Amino acid sequence: MFTFDLDDHELMPAGDGLRVSFPLHSATGSASTATVLFELDPGAELYVHTDSAEELLIIVQGTAEARVGDEVGRVEKHQVALVPPMAPHGLRNIGDDVLRWVANRIQVLAP
């Protein structure tokens, strides 16, 4: 069994006010799932982009404005947002604290 602690990962700078870590992916033994831990400073933004896999955004700390496709809404601590494959999506930290979230990408494999 592979486990990791969200509070025990060194995050690397990945843009203005954005830091990331990759605790679970193919090199750690996952066949079809990747987990990314993000931190975003107040006012900073993860710009709209797409991913080929379905993704769960699990908010660990803070409050964000999330864009998924044409929808824009607020997500906060302990909430989860679903992003369909190839849906344009992004987050902006609208709170006063660092925004922390886990992105869990699940690639559906053909039988």
Side-chain angles (χ1 to χ4, degrees), residues 4-11 17-21 23 36-42 57-64 75-79 91-95 97-103:
F4 62 91
D5 185 324
L6 294 176
D7 293 324
D8 192 28
H9 276 274
E10 182 177 347
L11 284 87
L18 175 65
R19 294 168 297 284
V20 300
S21 177
V36 185
L37 177 60
F38 289 91
E39 286 187 353
L40 195 57
D41 291 334
L57 306 178
I58 305 161
I59 308 301
V60 177
Q61 173 184 305
T63 304
V75 289
E76 52 194 30
K77 184 177 178 180
H78 297 154
Q79 292 185 325
L91 292 171
R92 184 169 58 93
N93 185 347
I94 59 173
D97 296 327
V98 170
L99 174 66
R100 296 184 80 216
W101 77 97
V102 174

Side-chain angles (χ1 to χ4, degrees), residues 49-71:
H49 63 283
T50 60
D51 295 300
S52 61
E54 183 171 82
E55 186 171 8
L56 293 176
L57 306 178
I58 305 161
I59 308 301
V60 177
Q61 173 184 305
T63 304
E65 177 183 85
R67 176 179 301 277
V68 178
D70 294 331
E71 296 182 66

